[in-house]
Amino acid sequence: METVKERIEAYLYAKRITKADFCRTIDVSKAYVATLVRSISPEKLKKIADCYPDLDIAWLMTGEGSMLKPVEPQESNTYVVRDASLDYNSAQGVPFFDTEAASCGQLAGFGTALEANNPSDIIIVPGMRAQEGDFFIRTRGRSMIDTLHPEHSIPEGALVLVRQWHADYIQWGEIYCVATPEGYAIKRLMPSPDPEKVTLQSADQMLYPPYEIEKTTILALGRVIAVLTYHDI
């Protein structure tokens, strides 16, 4: 990848972000990426850095180093799915909550998710350390089924491993478990043109269009780390 344009396209492909979404986020025309020749103006570069904090700007401009910045532990607990009360992790496994399900559809009535503070079971996955995630939850709904890339799907009834998100920023393009007063949803998070909002994006955007929520309504976030599914054979 010798050009800035090629590196932007590589980042968008890796993060599964469309060029249209990228251009909309940084307030440029849809043809911006296609017309890039050599470099990016300082103003647009700052906008990109602000909107996509995981992108290594030095790599973008020079091609040296790694595409993504390393994720470092953060002291802030602005976004936490469960705080000190979720202390079930041990070397034996990860807690599984089945009394309330995570929605893979619209945010809907299960606002008491995890509040009972009683795991239904403990799940042990060979080769996986308990510290890799904080809890499993079962999904419902079909909006995260990716028909173009089935290997990236989160099917209905899957067990999703969630890790508390302690950072005070969001890694755009990643899948999160989002907690709001209306309940929990599993969605890919994307920036919104409105800095006070965030866009929740499904895998199947034809049947489940993206929608926005106010950042102030987000009670907690957790990164989706792994998905366990089973198939009849």
Side-chain angles (χ1 to χ4, degrees):
M1 292 175 287
E2 297 182 355
T3 67
V4 173
K5 175 186 174 183
E6 290 174 336
R7 289 190 285 274
I8 285 181
E9 290 175 336
Y11 172 77
L12 298 182
Y13 179 82
K15 303 294 288 189
R16 303 179 69 206
I17 301 170
T18 67
K19 290 181 182 178
D21 283 340
F22 175 78
C23 292
R24 177 173 57 86
T25 302
I26 65 171
D27 299 323
V28 296
S29 70
K30 293 182 179 180
Y32 178 77
V33 175
T35 57
L36 271 177
V37 180
R38 291 175 178 266
S39 189
I40 302 174
S41 69
E43 178 185 353
K44 294 306 178 188
L45 197 61
K46 183 179 185 304
K47 186 73 172 180
I48 291 172
D50 290 341
C51 293
Y52 300 95
D54 63 332
L55 174 62
D56 191 310
I57 297 300
W59 171 85
L60 177 63
M61 298 306 294
T62 68
E64 298 179 0
S66 300
M67 174 191 294
L68 302 178
K69 296 177 182 177
V71 178
E72 299 178 357
Q74 303 288 320
E75 294 299 322
S76 169
N77 61 352
T78 303
Y79 301 121
V80 181
V81 173
R82 294 295 294 167
D83 205 348
S85 58
L86 202 158
D87 57 0
Y88 304 105
N89 281 345
S90 69
Q92 303 304 313
V94 178
F96 164 53
F97 293 91
D98 198 28
T99 54
E100 297 285 355
S103 173
C104 280
Q106 295 293 319
L107 295 178
F110 50 94
T112 58
L114 306 181
E115 291 304 318
N117 209 20
N118 291 314
S120 303
D121 209 339
I122 299 294
I123 293 179
I124 300 174
V125 180
M128 187 190 77
R129 297 172 299 173
Q131 293 80 7
E132 292 184 22
D134 293 305
F135 63 89
F136 280 99
I137 192 167
R138 191 184 302 278
T139 65
R140 64 184 180 191
R142 300 177 60 82
S143 71
M144 293 303 288
I145 295 178
D146 189 334
T147 56
L148 296 179
H149 304 280
E151 69 277 11
H152 297 148
S153 292
I154 302 180
E156 185 171 15
L159 299 181
V160 175
L161 177 62
V162 180
R163 182 168 61 203
Q164 301 178 66
W165 187 247
H166 294 281
D168 55 2
Y169 62 91
I170 296 172
Q171 287 188 312
W172 301 120
E174 300 295 339
I175 298 176
Y176 288 82
C177 180
V178 185
T180 76
E182 297 170 312
Y184 286 68
I186 293 176
K187 298 292 179 186
R188 189 178 304 279
L189 296 191
M190 301 298 297
S192 165
D194 185 341
E196 301 303 319
K197 295 181 179 181
V198 62
T199 300
L200 277 65
Q201 188 179 88
S202 300
D204 186 347
Q205 296 184 51
M206 294 294 291
L207 294 178
Y208 305 90
Y211 59 97
E212 296 182 340
I213 61 174
E214 299 282 346
K215 288 182 178 179
T216 55
T217 66
I218 298 176
L219 302 177
L221 288 179
R223 274 284 304 279
V224 171
I225 303 302
V227 179
L228 300 184
T229 63
Y230 69 90
H231 303 278
D232 294 328
I233 57 173

